[in-house]
Amino acid sequence: GGNLVPPDNREKLFDRFFQGTQSHGFGGLGLWIAKWIVEQHGGTIWYEARENHNVFHFTLPHEPPSHPKIADIPPDSEA
């Protein structure tokens, strides 16, 4: 078991620099980076609260894109 992400934080999980109430001081970039990488490869990533477990899913296309869409990391709009 574990602690579920509070409902009011779930929409922000993949936001750049978001740190939940149980932050460990890592800067809030891990899930944002994961989302960026998955989306650059044409996939999707999402969170699901399941009973007393936090579950993260992602999908990637079966065939790689013919022209990879690797973009520059977007500028920090919160600075």
Side-chain angles (χ1 to χ4, degrees):
N3 297 324
L4 292 177
V5 174
D8 57 331
N9 286 350
R10 293 177 187 170
E11 293 294 319
K12 302 177 235 173
L13 278 176
F14 298 97
D15 289 356
R16 192 174 187 180
F17 303 119
F18 175 74
Q19 297 184 41
T21 56
Q22 297 180 1
S23 171
H24 299 286
F26 295 121
L29 288 173
L31 289 173
W32 178 83
I33 292 169
K35 181 181 181 209
W36 185 82
I37 291 170
V38 168
E39 289 179 348
Q40 293 303 305
H41 288 86
T44 57
I45 187 169
W46 67 96
Y47 166 82
E48 177 183 358
R50 197 182 283 177
E51 295 181 16
N52 62 345
H53 298 287
N54 295 301
V55 181
F56 292 88
H57 303 272
F58 72 94
T59 62
L60 294 173
H62 182 67
E63 295 292 325
S66 58
H67 301 287
K69 177 188 134 184
I70 303 300
D72 292 329
I73 294 177
D76 177 14
S77 59
E78 298 177 22

